[in-house]
Amino acid sequence: MVALLVGMCPGLDEGLLRSLRAADIRTVEDLVSSDIEDLAQKCSVSYKALFAVRRVLLAQHTAFPVSGADLYEELLSSTAILSTGNPSLDKLLDSGLYTGEITELTGGPGSGKSQVCFGVAVHIAYHLKQSVIYIDTTGGLTAGRLLQMLQTETNNRDEQMEALQRIHTFRLFDVCALLDCLYGLSGGGGGGLHMACVGGGSVKALIVDSVSAVIAPLLGGKQNEGMSLMRQVAAALKTMAKDFSVAVLVTNHVTRSGSGEAQPGLGVSWSHVPTTRILLERVESGASGRRSATLIKSSRQACLIKEDFDLQWWSRAEGGRGGGGGGETSGKRKLDETDP
Amino acid sequence: KRAAVSAVRMKRPVSSLSLGSSLKGKLVRAGFQFTTDLQDLNPEHLSAEAGVSQQEALEALQAASSGHGVAPVTALELLQKEEEFRSIVTFCSQLDEALGGGVPVGKVTEICGAPGVGKTQLCLQLAVDVQVPAVFGGLGGQVLFVDTEGGFQVQRLVDLAGAAVRHCSLLAEDEEQRVAMTTFTVETILSNVRCRDYVELLAELHLLADFLSNRPRLRLLVIDSVAFPFLRLHDDLSQRTRLLQGLGLRLIAAATGHNIAVVTTNHMTTRLHSSQAQLAPALGDVWGHAPSIRLLLRWEESRRLASIVKSPAAPHRLHHLSVAVVTEALWMFG
């Protein structure tokens, strides 16, 4: 709903505005959807003038369709794929995290969601040399662990410190602070922090661990603001992903369904928000670092593909690292170390 | 070649501001959809336009112009901050090693176990250990012990404190340490607060923020146990879930905001997993996400075993370790 203001278009002056307000027409939508003849009589304004104003407003505020080919071109030129650093996860994600999309990791306590987020942040900061924004709502962010992971990548202290400086962290514990932070980053707060200022303009990933910790306490019961705030967060994340071309990675908790199966939390309303969802589970047998990841929602691959991987991948010794992924399979451009 | 970052500015909808919902409704109906619409308006104008009181208009304008959030902290700065605070040693070297030095400050640690395995014991030990003066490698901090079950025994605490004092006085080598010993006595435990049910516990925790800002030397908060007050809330599980989530958030905020170590204890319950009964920590997955570190204590024959089932540290630290305890009085000597 856009308010009618003086000077919005030629012909919309104080006098006209006042008479429209008197007729209870306050927004562009009200004006456009009302009967012009009727309105002209009520406000004692000429029909032609009102019609002209309406036409200009319509032209200013309509949406224009874009052809599919143009969209595809735009997508090809603006989307990048960020590898997570772990080949098994990359296989599930169809080469990695896509910018412009929200990817969700869900799992029970101790299933490794935060560890995967650390690993991704370290990989992007060190190998891809891009800035990462890490929003922590669980209190689990331990810089010592990030340093440990970096120490297995390189022994050079300066490089470690440099990579650590590319990870920008926020610690927030309620949803209003989260919204303030997200809008502050996108410059919507009217100044202050802006994505372009953080990391010198090369932020490529935004990690929110976890989004359910701040939203879940607001849902249910007699609280009606919860759903609205959840939608606000979803809208903010989606717009940021698209407008700033960043890959958004969020984590979610699980709830148990009647049969004891694990389901992602935050309900059906949230399930439409992420484009890709992965469920992490502990593998009962095997070493303590092993987890299994199942793809439960994806627009690019068949669902329910399972991959076993090791949480220790991001902190393994030099010798264990194998070669990179295979060649490109389609017109996807993969963001790698060689990009300027 | 990557395109330059455009000066894209997302417009913030008024409905995302932290104002009352009726106020937000009035603003949106009057056509103010984004905070940019509210800029450059004075309160009188806004209250006339939207039909709200002057007070509400002022509130709305303040919220619209102030919400930037906090500045980010780089991981490097976070690392430096983390290295500033030591962990609370448990005096059991294997446990300390597995925990990476001890119970960390700034995180919520949970101790789970069956009744009688020694959770309260460990909490009492930590309550003494946090007060060890800095010159001896401790934190020299104060402790708040919230007891919901009535398991707090002052006499036991006196024994543990006495043992710690003796241990440190044997180590005292220089003048500084001897001076510290004079203030390291049992009387420095801050307060023994006893709560009976979840309402009291929650009320106590609502007041926590003020309590903590008045006591900058507080380094440990123990809640023994967090499960007990909630175990009787069977009839309204969704309310219990919400209360637990809110509680978890508040504890984490207190831990990180005031640099204290929060230690909670939890009971064990039986969970059916593919028709097999297993012992699992109580309060479900809902509470399971709150603590950053989970320590499981259990009996095996006549020994106590401790395993770390959740931790932000490297997975290879999550090995089962054996805590050999001969008698309780010798606990702190490993």
Side-chain angles (χ1 to χ4, degrees):
Chain A
M1 291 208 266
V2 187
L4 282 172
L5 297 168
V6 176
M8 214 172 205
C9 74
L12 193 61
D13 55 10
E14 268 291 343
L16 180 57
L17 203 62
R18 229 172 306 133
S19 25
L20 283 176
R21 293 265 171 83
D24 206 22
I25 304 281
R26 293 178 178 281
T27 64
V28 171
E29 285 86 340
D30 292 338
L31 178 59
V32 159
S33 51
S34 51
D35 186 10
I36 297 290
E37 268 191 45
D38 222 19
L39 202 54
Q41 269 184 348
K42 240 195 285 184
C43 302
S44 50
V45 179
S46 87
Y47 177 82
K48 264 174 89 172
L50 212 51
F51 190 77
V53 165
R54 181 170 177 266
R55 199 166 52 169
V56 174
L57 284 177
L58 270 178
Q60 277 180 351
H61 294 274
T62 16
F64 287 95
V66 181
S67 83
D70 290 339
L71 270 183
Y72 184 61
E73 279 306 314
E74 200 196 311
L75 204 66
L76 273 190
S77 63
S78 62
T79 312
I81 308 176
L82 307 171
S83 161
T84 59
N86 184 318
S88 318
L89 268 186
D90 281 347
K91 217 192 308 183
L92 271 190
L93 290 169
D94 195 20
S95 348
L97 298 170
Y98 280 61
T99 60
E101 290 183 5
I102 301 180
T103 311
E104 178 181 276
L105 282 176
T106 178
S111 56
K113 311 184 286 296
S114 298
Q115 292 292 313
V116 172
C117 290
F118 293 164
V120 169
V122 160
H123 182 83
I124 296 178
Y126 179 69
H127 284 281
L128 306 181
K129 301 217 179 345
Q130 304 291 322
S131 295
V132 178
I133 295 183
Y134 196 109
I135 300 180
D136 178 33
T137 65
T138 58
L141 177 60
T142 315
R145 177 70 182 128
L146 293 174
L147 181 64
Q148 251 175 16
M149 288 176 162
L150 277 171
Q151 279 166 344
T152 58
E153 304 277 356
T154 172
N155 283 323
N156 185 335
R157 188 138 180 100
D158 290 328
E159 284 181 18
Q160 292 167 3
M161 296 300 124
E162 213 188 296
L164 279 182
Q165 279 177 321
R166 289 195 201 106
I167 303 177
H168 302 267
T169 67
F170 290 89
R171 273 201 163 136
L172 313 162
F173 302 107
D174 75 271
V175 70
C176 294
L178 177 61
L179 284 170
D180 283 346
C181 175
L182 290 176
Y183 281 108
L185 281 173
S186 56
L193 199 58
H194 192 283
M195 201 87 111
C197 310
V198 172
S202 67
V203 175
K204 274 282 162 242
L206 169 66
I207 304 180
V208 183
D209 176 24
S210 77
V211 76
S212 55
V214 283
I215 297 181
L218 303 171
L219 299 174
K222 298 206 179 74
Q223 306 166 99
N224 24 30
E225 280 246 297
M227 294 289 278
S228 152
L229 286 167
M230 184 167 80
R231 275 196 290 272
Q232 299 285 346
V233 172
L237 287 174
K238 277 198 152 162
T239 329
M240 279 178 86
K242 276 256 155 353
D243 287 351
F244 293 98
S245 274
V246 293
V248 177
L249 178 65
V250 300
T251 61
N252 196 358
H253 66 283
V254 290
T255 54
R256 302 270 157 193
S257 68
S259 52
E261 253 182 54
Q263 279 176 347
L266 295 181
V268 180
S269 327
W270 180 264
S271 65
H272 302 295
V273 174
T275 325
T276 314
R277 291 179 121 180
I278 292 185
L279 175 69
L280 292 178
E281 281 164 321
R282 299 183 103 136
V283 172
E284 291 306 324
S285 56
S288 59
R290 299 223 50 97
R291 299 291 185 271
S292 86
T294 315
L295 191 63
I296 49 179
K297 177 182 178 189
S298 168
S299 48
R300 280 182 287 270
Q301 300 199 97
C303 276
L304 302 178
I305 312 177
K306 217 166 173 163
E307 281 283 335
D308 277 359
F309 69 103
D310 198 344
L311 279 182
Q312 299 192 48
W313 178 268
W314 286 283
S315 48
R316 71 207 179 284
E318 273 291 334
R321 201 170 302 128
E328 300 307 314
T329 47
S330 61
K332 295 178 203 157
R333 216 168 37 96
K334 200 160 170 180
L335 192 63
D336 59 19
E337 295 93 287
T338 59
D339 267 9
Chain B
K1 184 103 200 288
R2 211 167 293 123
V5 173
S6 58
V8 177
R9 278 175 182 265
M10 260 164 56
K11 297 213 275 196
R12 180 169 185 177
V14 163
S15 38
S16 71
L17 293 172
S18 50
L19 299 166
S21 47
S22 66
L23 174 57
K24 287 198 275 198
K26 285 186 198 159
L27 288 173
V28 169
R29 270 194 298 277
F32 298 106
Q33 198 186 2
F34 298 112
T35 54
T36 43
D37 300 334
L38 285 178
Q39 279 172 2
D40 316 319
L41 281 182
N42 56 30
E44 292 86 24
H45 194 183
L46 180 60
S47 72
E49 292 266 346
V52 298
S53 75
Q54 281 262 33
Q55 182 63 24
E56 288 178 322
L58 195 60
E59 207 188 308
L61 287 171
Q62 275 174 345
S65 58
S66 69
H68 300 316
V70 292
V73 175
T74 65
L76 187 59
E77 292 162 21
L78 206 60
L79 185 70
Q80 286 157 350
K81 244 186 86 179
E82 274 176 23
E83 288 172 350
E84 237 181 84
F85 285 100
R86 298 184 184 124
S87 313
I88 306 176
V89 284
T90 61
F91 277 117
C92 170
S93 49
Q94 283 173 313
L95 193 55
D96 286 339
E97 204 209 301
L99 287 171
V103 170
V105 163
K107 300 236 183 302
V108 178
T109 308
E110 180 169 88
I111 305 172
C112 318
V117 74
K119 308 185 289 292
T120 308
Q121 274 297 106
L122 189 51
C123 291
L124 290 174
Q125 184 68 62
L126 290 170
V128 169
D129 295 342
V130 74
Q131 298 179 57
V132 170
V135 288
F136 287 105
L139 279 104
Q142 295 174 331
V143 58
L144 171 62
F145 199 107
V146 175
D147 173 22
T148 63
E149 294 182 324
F152 185 81
Q153 299 161 310
V154 182
Q155 194 47 52
R156 185 69 195 126
L157 186 63
V158 169
D159 290 341
L160 288 173
V165 167
R166 274 194 307 276
H167 184 76
C168 287
S169 56
L170 288 177
L171 292 176
E173 285 166 351
D174 54 33
E175 195 49 46
E176 206 182 340
Q177 291 179 331
R178 268 186 274 271
V179 167
M181 282 313 299
T182 57
T183 51
F184 181 45
T185 61
V186 177
E187 285 79 26
T188 49
I189 291 205
L190 184 62
S191 44
N192 170 16
V193 181
R194 190 163 162 182
C195 301
R196 257 164 285 275
D197 58 26
Y198 71 93
V199 174
E200 286 188 29
L201 177 65
L202 291 176
E204 192 65 42
L205 290 170
H206 269 296
L207 301 170
L208 194 64
D210 293 325
F211 186 87
L212 290 177
S213 17
N214 288 333
R215 284 168 181 74
R217 276 186 56 213
L218 194 86
R219 288 277 95 80
L220 174 66
L221 165 66
V222 180
I223 303 184
D224 178 25
S225 67
V226 76
F228 189 70
F230 288 96
L231 288 178
R232 281 167 296 168
L233 261 181
H234 294 305
D235 36 2
D236 194 352
L237 279 182
S238 61
Q239 189 198 24
R240 188 180 97 161
T241 305
R242 276 196 305 284
L243 289 174
L244 282 174
Q245 283 165 336
L247 176 62
L249 265 185
R250 219 166 291 129
L251 288 177
I252 297 171
T256 48
H258 298 265
N259 290 312
I260 60 177
V262 177
V263 174
T264 62
T265 59
N266 200 358
H267 296 177
M268 300 296 277
T269 183
T270 313
R271 181 184 276 191
L272 290 172
H273 185 71
S274 52
S275 68
Q276 266 185 336
Q278 273 182 352
L279 274 186
L283 299 178
D285 286 343
V286 163
W287 176 252
H289 288 95
S292 308
I293 302 170
R294 229 177 194 179
L295 195 60
L296 200 71
L297 296 179
R298 64 187 192 283
W299 285 108
E300 198 166 280
E301 284 131 41
S302 58
R303 294 181 313 162
R304 281 188 186 81
L305 289 189
S307 41
I308 302 182
V309 295
K310 182 181 178 190
S311 163
H316 70 258
R317 283 228 184 99
L318 300 178
H319 53 264
H320 290 262
L321 48 91
S322 148
V323 175
V325 178
V326 179
T327 71
E328 286 169 347
L330 292 181
W331 180 301
M332 62 181 269
F333 295 106

mmCIF file of all heavy atoms in Angstrom, chain A residues 286-316:
data_model
loop_
_atom_site.group_PDB
_atom_site.id
_atom_site.type_symbol
_atom_site.label_atom_id
_atom_site.label_comp_id
_atom_site.label_asym_id
_atom_site.label_seq_id
_atom_site.Cartn_x
_atom_site.Cartn_y
_atom_site.Cartn_z
ATOM 1 N N GLY A 286 30.185 -46.538 13.922
ATOM 2 C CA GLY A 286 31.211 -45.750 13.257
ATOM 3 C C GLY A 286 31.833 -44.704 14.166
ATOM 4 O O GLY A 286 31.431 -44.520 15.308
ATOM 5 N N ALA A 287 32.788 -44.000 13.650
ATOM 6 C CA ALA A 287 33.534 -43.018 14.428
ATOM 7 C C ALA A 287 32.634 -41.864 14.840
ATOM 8 O O ALA A 287 31.580 -41.629 14.261
ATOM 9 C CB ALA A 287 34.707 -42.494 13.593
ATOM 10 N N SER A 288 33.084 -41.120 15.843
ATOM 11 C CA SER A 288 32.219 -40.112 16.435
ATOM 12 C C SER A 288 31.920 -38.968 15.481
ATOM 13 O O SER A 288 30.990 -38.228 15.685
ATOM 14 C CB SER A 288 32.882 -39.549 17.691
ATOM 15 O OG SER A 288 34.134 -38.990 17.322
ATOM 16 N N GLY A 289 32.723 -38.805 14.430
ATOM 17 C CA GLY A 289 32.496 -37.661 13.563
ATOM 18 C C GLY A 289 31.584 -37.937 12.395
ATOM 19 O O GLY A 289 31.291 -37.061 11.610
ATOM 20 N N ARG A 290 31.117 -39.170 12.294
ATOM 21 C CA ARG A 290 30.352 -39.505 11.086
ATOM 22 C C ARG A 290 28.902 -39.053 11.212
ATOM 23 O O ARG A 290 28.266 -39.225 12.223
ATOM 24 C CB ARG A 290 30.407 -41.017 10.851
ATOM 25 C CG ARG A 290 31.822 -41.486 10.649
ATOM 26 C CD ARG A 290 32.002 -42.482 9.534
ATOM 27 N NE ARG A 290 31.445 -42.165 8.260
ATOM 28 C CZ ARG A 290 32.123 -41.626 7.259
ATOM 29 N NH1 ARG A 290 33.381 -41.292 7.437
ATOM 30 N NH2 ARG A 290 31.554 -41.415 6.107
ATOM 31 N N ARG A 291 28.428 -38.470 10.122
ATOM 32 C CA ARG A 291 27.051 -38.051 10.060
ATOM 33 C C ARG A 291 26.478 -38.485 8.723
ATOM 34 O O ARG A 291 27.212 -38.664 7.756
ATOM 35 C CB ARG A 291 26.934 -36.518 10.151
ATOM 36 C CG ARG A 291 27.461 -35.913 11.425
ATOM 37 C CD ARG A 291 26.582 -36.280 12.606
ATOM 38 N NE ARG A 291 26.989 -35.621 13.825
ATOM 39 C CZ ARG A 291 27.880 -36.120 14.681
ATOM 40 N NH1 ARG A 291 28.462 -37.267 14.436
ATOM 41 N NH2 ARG A 291 28.180 -35.454 15.773
ATOM 42 N N SER A 292 25.152 -38.580 8.687
ATOM 43 C CA SER A 292 24.553 -38.857 7.383
ATOM 44 C C SER A 292 23.667 -37.667 7.029
ATOM 45 O O SER A 292 22.964 -37.115 7.874
ATOM 46 C CB SER A 292 23.729 -40.136 7.430
ATOM 47 O OG SER A 292 22.434 -39.858 7.862
ATOM 48 N N ALA A 293 23.726 -37.264 5.794
ATOM 49 C CA ALA A 293 22.952 -36.126 5.320
ATOM 50 C C ALA A 293 21.966 -36.623 4.284
ATOM 51 O O ALA A 293 22.342 -37.343 3.366
ATOM 52 C CB ALA A 293 23.886 -35.087 4.706
ATOM 53 N N THR A 294 20.708 -36.237 4.460
ATOM 54 C CA THR A 294 19.667 -36.634 3.499
ATOM 55 C C THR A 294 19.091 -35.381 2.880
ATOM 56 O O THR A 294 18.787 -34.415 3.580
ATOM 57 C CB THR A 294 18.536 -37.380 4.243
ATOM 58 O OG1 THR A 294 19.117 -38.306 5.142
ATOM 59 C CG2 THR A 294 17.656 -38.120 3.260
ATOM 60 N N LEU A 295 18.918 -35.425 1.572
ATOM 61 C CA LEU A 295 18.342 -34.276 0.880
ATOM 62 C C LEU A 295 16.831 -34.393 0.967
ATOM 63 O O LEU A 295 16.247 -35.320 0.422
ATOM 64 C CB LEU A 295 18.800 -34.315 -0.582
ATOM 65 C CG LEU A 295 18.539 -33.100 -1.452
ATOM 66 C CD1 LEU A 295 19.288 -31.919 -0.922
ATOM 67 C CD2 LEU A 295 18.972 -33.414 -2.866
ATOM 68 N N ILE A 296 16.174 -33.487 1.681
ATOM 69 C CA ILE A 296 14.729 -33.634 1.798
ATOM 70 C C ILE A 296 13.954 -32.648 0.955
ATOM 71 O O ILE A 296 12.759 -32.788 0.779
ATOM 72 C CB ILE A 296 14.246 -33.563 3.264
ATOM 73 C CG1 ILE A 296 14.835 -32.365 3.977
ATOM 74 C CG2 ILE A 296 14.589 -34.826 4.001
ATOM 75 C CD1 ILE A 296 14.359 -32.272 5.406
ATOM 76 N N LYS A 297 14.597 -31.629 0.464
ATOM 77 C CA LYS A 297 13.890 -30.754 -0.465
ATOM 78 C C LYS A 297 14.897 -30.186 -1.434
ATOM 79 O O LYS A 297 15.931 -29.663 -1.019
ATOM 80 C CB LYS A 297 13.204 -29.611 0.295
ATOM 81 C CG LYS A 297 12.511 -28.630 -0.647
ATOM 82 C CD LYS A 297 11.864 -27.480 0.089
ATOM 83 C CE LYS A 297 11.226 -26.516 -0.924
ATOM 84 N NZ LYS A 297 10.756 -25.289 -0.340
ATOM 85 N N SER A 298 14.601 -30.280 -2.704
ATOM 86 C CA SER A 298 15.529 -29.712 -3.677
ATOM 87 C C SER A 298 14.803 -29.503 -4.983
ATOM 88 O O SER A 298 13.927 -30.285 -5.339
ATOM 89 C CB SER A 298 16.703 -30.664 -3.884
ATOM 90 O OG SER A 298 17.460 -30.258 -5.009
ATOM 91 N N SER A 299 15.159 -28.432 -5.682
ATOM 92 C CA SER A 299 14.510 -28.222 -6.975
ATOM 93 C C SER A 299 15.391 -28.740 -8.102
ATOM 94 O O SER A 299 15.036 -28.616 -9.259
ATOM 95 C CB SER A 299 14.209 -26.737 -7.162
ATOM 96 O OG SER A 299 15.349 -25.988 -6.856
ATOM 97 N N ARG A 300 16.561 -29.270 -7.720
ATOM 98 C CA ARG A 300 17.471 -29.674 -8.793
ATOM 99 C C ARG A 300 17.776 -31.159 -8.812
ATOM 100 O O ARG A 300 18.232 -31.676 -9.814
ATOM 101 C CB ARG A 300 18.790 -28.915 -8.657
ATOM 102 C CG ARG A 300 18.725 -27.514 -9.195
ATOM 103 C CD ARG A 300 20.066 -26.860 -9.070
ATOM 104 N NE ARG A 300 20.357 -26.531 -7.703
ATOM 105 C CZ ARG A 300 20.047 -25.394 -7.139
ATOM 106 N NH1 ARG A 300 19.447 -24.468 -7.824
ATOM 107 N NH2 ARG A 300 20.354 -25.173 -5.881
ATOM 108 N N GLN A 301 17.568 -31.824 -7.691
ATOM 109 C CA GLN A 301 17.932 -33.239 -7.672
ATOM 110 C C GLN A 301 16.795 -34.046 -7.077
ATOM 111 O O GLN A 301 15.952 -33.507 -6.381
ATOM 112 C CB GLN A 301 19.182 -33.444 -6.812
ATOM 113 C CG GLN A 301 20.366 -32.684 -7.324
ATOM 114 C CD GLN A 301 21.648 -33.241 -6.769
ATOM 115 O OE1 GLN A 301 22.292 -34.041 -7.427
ATOM 116 N NE2 GLN A 301 21.992 -32.861 -5.561
ATOM 117 N N ALA A 302 16.842 -35.339 -7.288
ATOM 118 C CA ALA A 302 15.825 -36.219 -6.714
ATOM 119 C C ALA A 302 15.986 -36.216 -5.209
ATOM 120 O O ALA A 302 17.097 -36.200 -4.690
ATOM 121 C CB ALA A 302 16.013 -37.626 -7.255
ATOM 122 N N CYS A 303 14.866 -36.238 -4.511
ATOM 123 C CA CYS A 303 14.947 -36.146 -3.061
ATOM 124 C C CYS A 303 15.334 -37.461 -2.419
ATOM 125 O O CYS A 303 15.302 -38.503 -3.040
ATOM 126 C CB CYS A 303 13.602 -35.691 -2.498
ATOM 127 S SG CYS A 303 13.495 -33.923 -2.575
ATOM 128 N N LEU A 304 15.660 -37.362 -1.154
ATOM 129 C CA LEU A 304 15.980 -38.510 -0.322
ATOM 130 C C LEU A 304 17.276 -39.191 -0.726
ATOM 131 O O LEU A 304 17.498 -40.353 -0.407
ATOM 132 C CB LEU A 304 14.824 -39.528 -0.299
ATOM 133 C CG LEU A 304 13.498 -38.938 0.215
ATOM 134 C CD1 LEU A 304 12.408 -39.966 0.164
ATOM 135 C CD2 LEU A 304 13.663 -38.427 1.644
ATOM 136 N N ILE A 305 18.139 -38.469 -1.428
ATOM 137 C CA ILE A 305 19.487 -39.002 -1.644
ATOM 138 C C ILE A 305 20.216 -38.872 -0.320
ATOM 139 O O ILE A 305 20.134 -37.855 0.350
ATOM 140 C CB ILE A 305 20.286 -38.148 -2.648
ATOM 141 C CG1 ILE A 305 19.490 -37.860 -3.880
ATOM 142 C CG2 ILE A 305 21.563 -38.860 -3.027
ATOM 143 C CD1 ILE A 305 20.258 -36.971 -4.822
ATOM 144 N N LYS A 306 20.952 -39.900 0.032
ATOM 145 C CA LYS A 306 21.654 -39.877 1.309
ATOM 146 C C LYS A 306 23.147 -39.920 1.070
ATOM 147 O O LYS A 306 23.611 -40.598 0.165
ATOM 148 C CB LYS A 306 21.249 -41.119 2.091
ATOM 149 C CG LYS A 306 21.102 -40.872 3.574
ATOM 150 C CD LYS A 306 20.394 -42.026 4.226
ATOM 151 C CE LYS A 306 20.406 -41.828 5.727
ATOM 152 N NZ LYS A 306 19.470 -42.618 6.426
ATOM 153 N N GLU A 307 23.879 -39.189 1.874
ATOM 154 C CA GLU A 307 25.326 -39.231 1.773
ATOM 155 C C GLU A 307 25.895 -39.298 3.176
ATOM 156 O O GLU A 307 25.472 -38.553 4.050
ATOM 157 C CB GLU A 307 25.861 -37.932 1.123
ATOM 158 C CG GLU A 307 25.746 -37.852 -0.374
ATOM 159 C CD GLU A 307 26.796 -38.683 -1.092
ATOM 160 O OE1 GLU A 307 27.864 -38.934 -0.503
ATOM 161 O OE2 GLU A 307 26.522 -39.074 -2.237
ATOM 162 N N ASP A 308 26.869 -40.150 3.365
ATOM 163 C CA ASP A 308 27.556 -40.178 4.650
ATOM 164 C C ASP A 308 28.777 -39.299 4.558
ATOM 165 O O ASP A 308 29.465 -39.304 3.542
ATOM 166 C CB ASP A 308 28.010 -41.615 4.972
ATOM 167 C CG ASP A 308 26.878 -42.409 5.587
ATOM 168 O OD1 ASP A 308 25.791 -41.844 5.771
ATOM 169 O OD2 ASP A 308 27.082 -43.594 5.872
ATOM 170 N N PHE A 309 29.018 -38.528 5.593
ATOM 171 C CA PHE A 309 30.242 -37.750 5.543
ATOM 172 C C PHE A 309 30.821 -37.616 6.931
ATOM 173 O O PHE A 309 30.233 -38.018 7.917
ATOM 174 C CB PHE A 309 29.999 -36.371 4.907
ATOM 175 C CG PHE A 309 29.159 -35.458 5.750
ATOM 176 C CD1 PHE A 309 29.746 -34.435 6.481
ATOM 177 C CD2 PHE A 309 27.787 -35.584 5.786
ATOM 178 C CE1 PHE A 309 28.968 -33.581 7.241
ATOM 179 C CE2 PHE A 309 27.013 -34.740 6.544
ATOM 180 C CZ PHE A 309 27.601 -33.729 7.267
ATOM 181 N N ASP A 310 32.000 -37.066 6.976
ATOM 182 C CA ASP A 310 32.722 -36.994 8.225
ATOM 183 C C ASP A 310 32.837 -35.522 8.631
ATOM 184 O O ASP A 310 33.324 -34.707 7.868
ATOM 185 C CB ASP A 310 34.119 -37.596 8.019
ATOM 186 C CG ASP A 310 34.774 -37.963 9.321
ATOM 187 O OD1 ASP A 310 34.307 -37.492 10.373
ATOM 188 O OD2 ASP A 310 35.761 -38.706 9.279
ATOM 189 N N LEU A 311 32.416 -35.222 9.847
ATOM 190 C CA LEU A 311 32.514 -33.848 10.320
ATOM 191 C C LEU A 311 33.953 -33.400 10.430
ATOM 192 O O LEU A 311 34.241 -32.218 10.470
ATOM 193 C CB LEU A 311 31.864 -33.694 11.702
ATOM 194 C CG LEU A 311 30.354 -33.543 11.749
ATOM 195 C CD1 LEU A 311 29.933 -33.366 13.173
ATOM 196 C CD2 LEU A 311 29.911 -32.364 10.914
ATOM 197 N N GLN A 312 34.853 -34.372 10.487
ATOM 198 C CA GLN A 312 36.247 -34.014 10.641
ATOM 199 C C GLN A 312 36.880 -33.602 9.333
ATOM 200 O O GLN A 312 38.049 -33.276 9.291
ATOM 201 C CB GLN A 312 37.027 -35.188 11.234
ATOM 202 C CG GLN A 312 36.494 -35.556 12.607
ATOM 203 C CD GLN A 312 37.433 -36.502 13.302
ATOM 204 O OE1 GLN A 312 38.622 -36.278 13.343
ATOM 205 N NE2 GLN A 312 36.894 -37.574 13.830
ATOM 206 N N TRP A 313 36.117 -33.629 8.258
ATOM 207 C CA TRP A 313 36.667 -33.275 6.948
ATOM 208 C C TRP A 313 37.323 -31.898 6.985
ATOM 209 O O TRP A 313 38.362 -31.671 6.380
ATOM 210 C CB TRP A 313 35.547 -33.288 5.892
ATOM 211 C CG TRP A 313 36.045 -32.897 4.542
ATOM 212 C CD1 TRP A 313 36.072 -31.653 3.999
ATOM 213 C CD2 TRP A 313 36.654 -33.747 3.584
ATOM 214 N NE1 TRP A 313 36.635 -31.673 2.756
ATOM 215 C CE2 TRP A 313 37.004 -32.954 2.465
ATOM 216 C CE3 TRP A 313 36.940 -35.109 3.548
ATOM 217 C CZ2 TRP A 313 37.610 -33.474 1.341
ATOM 218 C CZ3 TRP A 313 37.537 -35.623 2.418
ATOM 219 C CH2 TRP A 313 37.864 -34.815 1.336
ATOM 220 N N TRP A 314 36.667 -30.966 7.703
ATOM 221 C CA TRP A 314 37.190 -29.613 7.676
ATOM 222 C C TRP A 314 38.399 -29.417 8.573
ATOM 223 O O TRP A 314 38.988 -28.364 8.607
ATOM 224 C CB TRP A 314 36.098 -28.616 8.103
ATOM 225 C CG TRP A 314 35.063 -28.413 7.065
ATOM 226 C CD1 TRP A 314 35.168 -27.665 5.940
ATOM 227 C CD2 TRP A 314 33.750 -28.972 7.038
ATOM 228 N NE1 TRP A 314 34.003 -27.712 5.215
ATOM 229 C CE2 TRP A 314 33.121 -28.504 5.863
ATOM 230 C CE3 TRP A 314 33.033 -29.810 7.894
ATOM 231 C CZ2 TRP A 314 31.828 -28.850 5.527
ATOM 232 C CZ3 TRP A 314 31.748 -30.155 7.557
ATOM 233 C CH2 TRP A 314 31.162 -29.678 6.385
ATOM 234 N N SER A 315 38.760 -30.466 9.340
ATOM 235 C CA SER A 315 39.947 -30.297 10.170
ATOM 236 C C SER A 315 40.896 -31.466 9.999
ATOM 237 O O SER A 315 41.630 -31.815 10.884
ATOM 238 C CB SER A 315 39.545 -30.151 11.642
ATOM 239 O OG SER A 315 38.628 -31.153 11.998
ATOM 240 N N ARG A 316 40.846 -32.074 8.823
ATOM 241 C CA ARG A 316 41.728 -33.212 8.635
ATOM 242 C C ARG A 316 43.113 -32.716 8.245
ATOM 243 O O ARG A 316 43.309 -31.569 7.861
ATOM 244 C CB ARG A 316 41.179 -34.123 7.534
ATOM 245 C CG ARG A 316 41.306 -33.479 6.173
ATOM 246 C CD ARG A 316 40.246 -33.991 5.238
ATOM 247 N NE ARG A 316 40.384 -33.337 3.965
ATOM 248 C CZ ARG A 316 39.994 -32.091 3.732
ATOM 249 N NH1 ARG A 316 39.427 -31.384 4.671
ATOM 250 N NH2 ARG A 316 40.164 -31.562 2.539
#
